[in-house]
Each structure stands twice: as C-alpha cells, then as structure tokens.
Amino acid sequence: MDEKEYFFQYIEEDIDRNIERIKKYIEDEKVLKSFIKKANISLEKLKNISNIKPVICWYDINPNNILVNEKSSITGFLDPGGARFAAKEWDLAFIKMDLCQNNTEYEFFKQIYSKQKAINEELLEILTVVVELDDVAFQLEAKVKLPIAFESNFKEEIEYIQKEYLN
C-alpha cells in the first residue's frame, strides 16, 4: 500500500471511528443522520481527488504544542506522537478548526502553508470535516463544551449537542 492509499484508508477509518463515538451519545436520529451524510459526502469527494501527495504532518497542532519566541514567531512544535503521512492540508485543517477564531487568523496560517505549494481547497474542506468530527466525539466523551469553529461544518449539530447533552 502506498502513502496515498494509506491516507485514504486512514481518513475512511477515522470518519467511521468518530461516527461510532458520536453514536454512543446522540439519540436524535436527525442529528445523527446529518453527521453521517456530511461525513459520507466528504469521503466521496476525497475519493475523487487525484493529486494528493502525502507528507509528514504533525496532526496535533494546538496552542499547547506550539513554541514561540519573545517576538511571537513560531520556533517549533511539541508532541510529535501523532505525526503521520497525510496531505499538508491536514495540519491546516487542524489549525483552522482548533486554533483560528476568525478568517484573518486562518488566512495568515494558510499563507504560510501555501508558500511552497498551493493549498488544495477541496481537500482542505474535506479534512476540516474529519477534524471537526473528532472534536465533536471528544466533546461528547469528555462532557465539555468546545468552542464552535468560526467556519464550522456542523454548527447546528454542535449547538444542539451543547444544549441537549452538555448543560
């Protein structure tokens, strides 16, 4: 299996794993079907993208894992335990969904990531769905309210979960 096939398989398994995690907590069929539909649409779109070139991605970029100097320049990352072969858009999807609070912040990181090679926007949007599914599953398991990303794919579903399950 080459890196691209491994990446496709990993994404498919990650989606399935997170949908199963979410199913353990959500009883509302309409909400559950919405998660599944959006995940399946993303998976089908992923299968139609041919120019994916996996690289080593950090996978767990969050404020606790970013080192900055006194000038607020990024000097390194911590916790490489989740690093794996993936499209470079994977790390950007994590940044978009877990770090950025608005489009200005997101565009800053996007510019950095696109310096060497253009960002595949369709792939990035697919991977943000995958990242957000993991965030929702974690939110349910930990019984904590996570902030809704500024460009959430599941805004209505997350608002419902927070209201019905996390009060």
Side-chain angles (χ1 to χ4, degrees), residues 38-165:
K38 289 176 182 179
N40 286 338
I41 289 170
S42 293
L43 196 54
E44 287 306 310
K45 287 180 180 179
L46 180 66
K47 291 177 182 176
N48 292 320
I49 297 176
S50 60
N51 60 344
I52 298 173
K53 173 80 171 114
V55 297
I56 295 178
C57 290
W58 209 256
Y59 190 76
D60 188 18
I61 294 179
N62 68 64
N64 297 324
N65 290 341
I66 299 174
L67 298 174
V68 295
N69 63 19
E70 60 279 348
K71 296 178 183 177
S72 298
S73 295
I74 296 173
T75 59
F77 296 99
L78 300 172
D79 192 12
R84 65 196 65 202
F85 275 108
K88 74 175 183 173
E89 288 83 357
W90 185 256
D91 278 341
L92 190 55
F94 265 94
I95 290 169
K96 179 180 182 182
M97 302 316 287
D98 293 345
L99 290 179
C100 297
Q101 296 179 12
N102 56 52
N103 199 52
T104 302
E105 291 177 358
Y106 169 60
E107 288 300 324
F108 168 77
F109 283 105
K110 191 172 165 185
Q111 180 183 3
I112 292 169
Y113 269 76
S114 65
K115 281 186 177 180
Q116 292 180 356
K117 186 178 177 191
I119 298 295
N120 182 324
E121 294 291 339
E122 184 177 24
L123 179 57
L124 177 59
E125 290 308 310
I126 292 164
L127 295 176
T128 59
V129 169
V130 178
V131 169
E132 203 165 9
L133 281 172
D134 184 62
D135 287 349
V136 169
F138 174 81
Q139 174 180 332
L140 288 164
E141 291 168 344
K143 296 180 174 72
V144 296
K145 287 187 179 183
L146 297 177
I148 298 174
F150 76 98
E151 281 192 8
S152 176
N153 297 290
F154 300 103
K155 185 174 181 171
E156 291 177 20
E157 295 88 342
I158 293 170
E159 287 173 345
Y160 174 81
I161 288 168
Q162 290 180 341
K163 182 178 151 210
E164 296 296 319
Y165 295 93

